[in-house]
Amino acid sequence: MNKSLAGLPDRATIAGWQAYMNQLGPRLTGTAAHQRFIEFLREQITAIGYQVETDRHYFQKWEAEQANLHLLAADGTEQEIRVASIYPYSGMTSSQGIEGELVYCGKGKGSYKHARGKIAVVEVAVWPLPTTLLMKQRDVFPDDAKLSFFLQNPVLQSFLGVPDLKKAKEAGALAVIGVWRNISMANARDQYLPFGNDYQGLPGVWVDREAREALLEGISKKKRARLTLSASLQEQAASETIYAVVPGKTDKEVILVNTHTDGPNGIEENGGLGMLAMMHFLRNQAEKPERTMLFVFVTGHFQLEQFGLNHRQATSRWLRDHPELWDGKEGHALAVAGLTASFAGTEKGADSLVAPAQSHLFWRRPAAFSGRDSDSVAHPWPRLFVHGPGSCRGRQNRRRADVRANRNIRQTDDGTG
């Protein structure tokens, strides 16, 4: 090992952390798997020798179980339509489901003026966007790492325009079916998008491009459909943000290092594992770091409407709650830099409409994790990009993982978490 890296955990240790996180499955905000991951981080930080502080938050938690969709013919026959994923925090039905005539409601956010008493179908196309519109590259590691010229993934599209369930509900729609276009069927499967909504109060699901033709034909023939979506809704569910202070030679200036702990797969979000490695490294050095370092593991990234402040990222809540640790006012420590750790280990990034068998190579936000979707266990030492504010959430055409830096910590928007 390079002498400058002495004190870091070995590959086997980091791979073991990743394997443990993988076997937990999706760690969506406030779920049992998410809490187990937080407890794992707490135990590891304590074992390293640092004190863990905890902020406990309460929110409205929706958790999906399963969904089924069928086209109903006049003769009583049914055609099952494969559900690619459930629209997060959409709604729920009874065990008998809901039935209604299908109606086409356009593209993107949808137009629902004819949707009263019907099941709305909305198409969502995913188009490539220049990478430079979304992020500013500051540095790369290793030196030969390159960003793709274009980014094309449904995560970006979820910010640009997907079915607006609240408007559909106001218009009297019974449910909404979103149809992904321009991406492979495997890419559409298990996407957890859009990921930051609060509870919408209307059942919603996603289907892939293969289901599109059947739905359009059903609309043309005024067919009815039945949607069954089972889910639970819990008021005052709990979730925790944890943080620890690594003392430096001075406590007047601090560096914030953060990530979020909730996530749907083995890459998002494993930044906390990288932060554990950093804390190991700092503990094993003969001297303290020049500045005090704050390691913050926030919850709520996948429930930004409930955890973020004024539509900012979830870390904004921690910043608001602990100004004494970073804002530089009234004798408080001053944060001079911020570093976000995220998405360590992803090395592939190409979707294919003609070769879905290779679909495990692209980045997605699946709501169910398979170890095949992650190179992180095979490659526990991540390759990194460092770039500034304005970054996107999607990683479909990115060839490496990233660590995001925000030098303007006072804007209380860290770029993640």
Side-chain angles (χ1 to χ4, degrees), residues 384-414:
L384 305 175
F385 285 105
V386 178
H387 55 85
S391 62
C392 67
R393 299 274 177 260
R395 299 295 181 273
Q396 179 171 319
N397 285 338
R398 293 283 302 283
R399 293 184 61 244
R400 297 293 183 264
D402 72 80
V403 172
R404 280 175 278 185
N406 177 7
R407 299 183 185 279
N408 186 16
I409 195 70
R410 290 184 178 277
Q411 69 182 22
T412 68
D413 192 349
D414 63 310

Side-chain angles (χ1 to χ4, degrees), residues 46-358:
T46 301
I48 295 170
Y50 295 114
Q51 181 174 331
V52 179
E53 305 293 343
T54 302
D55 292 343
R56 193 169 180 85
H57 302 291
Y58 295 90
F59 72 111
Q60 184 186 54
K61 184 183 71 174
W62 173 93
E63 193 168 359
E65 297 170 4
Q66 64 177 4
N68 296 286
L69 178 62
H70 292 83
L71 283 179
L72 310 176
D75 62 4
T77 60
E78 299 184 2
Q79 176 186 355
E80 183 175 3
I81 303 296
R82 182 174 59 189
V83 173
S85 65
I86 299 174
Y87 193 117
Y89 278 74
S90 56
M92 62 188 75
T93 71
S94 69
S95 58
Q96 287 75 39
I98 55 173
E99 293 188 12
E101 181 183 331
L102 294 171
V103 59
Y104 186 77
C105 291
K107 301 176 181 179
K109 294 183 179 181
S111 175
Y112 304 99
K113 59 183 178 180
H114 302 300
R116 181 167 296 278
K118 299 179 181 181
I119 296 177
V121 177
V122 181
E123 295 186 274
V124 178
V126 180
W127 302 107
L129 295 172
T131 304
T132 52
L133 290 178
L134 303 163
M135 64 184 68
K136 177 182 177 182
Q137 180 176 309
R138 293 188 176 179
D139 202 353
V140 298
F141 174 80
D143 293 338
D144 63 347
K146 295 180 180 180
L147 288 174
S148 299
F149 186 77
F150 285 108
L151 285 171
Q152 180 181 7
N153 69 60
V155 181
L156 299 181
Q157 186 59 44
S158 72
F159 289 96
L160 298 174
V162 292
D164 189 326
L165 267 58
K166 287 188 175 179
K167 286 190 175 181
K169 182 181 179 181
E170 290 173 1
L174 298 177
V176 173
I177 302 170
V179 183
W180 289 117
R181 299 188 62 184
N182 303 83
I183 60 173
S184 69
M185 292 179 285
N187 194 352
R189 186 178 68 248
D190 293 329
Q191 288 283 356
Y192 192 82
L193 294 172
F195 67 86
N197 289 338
D198 56 4
Y199 185 60
Q200 305 290 291
L202 187 73
V205 295
W206 290 100
V207 299
D208 58 34
R209 61 192 180 93
E210 184 179 68
R212 175 176 179 268
E213 297 305 320
L215 289 174
L216 293 181
E217 180 184 6
I219 292 170
S220 68
K221 295 182 178 180
K222 296 186 179 299
K223 285 187 177 181
R224 295 174 65 82
R226 182 176 64 251
L227 173 64
T228 306
L229 196 169
S230 58
S232 62
L233 188 65
Q234 179 184 353
E235 302 293 340
Q236 294 298 300
S239 191
E240 295 175 340
T241 286
I242 61 174
Y243 61 98
V245 178
V246 175
K249 294 178 181 178
T250 176
D251 59 2
K252 303 300 182 182
E253 294 184 339
V254 299
I255 295 175
L256 298 181
V257 185
N258 81 298
T259 191
H260 59 91
T261 55
D262 46 343
N265 56 49
I267 297 297
E268 186 172 21
E269 181 52 66
N270 63 3
L273 306 183
M275 287 167 60
L276 286 181
M278 295 169 68
M279 296 177 81
H280 267 276
F281 175 83
L282 293 169
R283 172 58 78 183
N284 290 326
Q285 302 310 300
E287 296 186 4
K288 294 180 179 180
E290 292 298 320
R291 298 176 177 87
T292 292
M293 301 185 70
L294 295 172
F295 286 81
V296 187
F297 304 76
V298 303
T299 184
H301 183 71
F302 279 79
Q303 260 306 286
L304 291 179
E305 284 296 316
Q306 297 193 70
F307 283 83
L309 302 179
N310 299 319
H311 306 289
R312 294 184 182 273
Q313 300 300 323
T315 305
S316 62
R317 178 174 293 224
W318 184 89
L319 291 168
R320 181 203 66 183
D321 291 345
H322 300 284
E324 74 283 359
L325 296 177
W326 68 273
D327 73 358
K329 298 177 181 179
E330 300 176 357
H332 298 167
L334 174 65
V336 296
L339 180 70
T340 293
S342 61
F343 303 104
T346 306
E347 292 197 342
K348 303 292 184 180
D351 194 6
S352 173
L353 297 179
V354 296
Q358 299 299 313

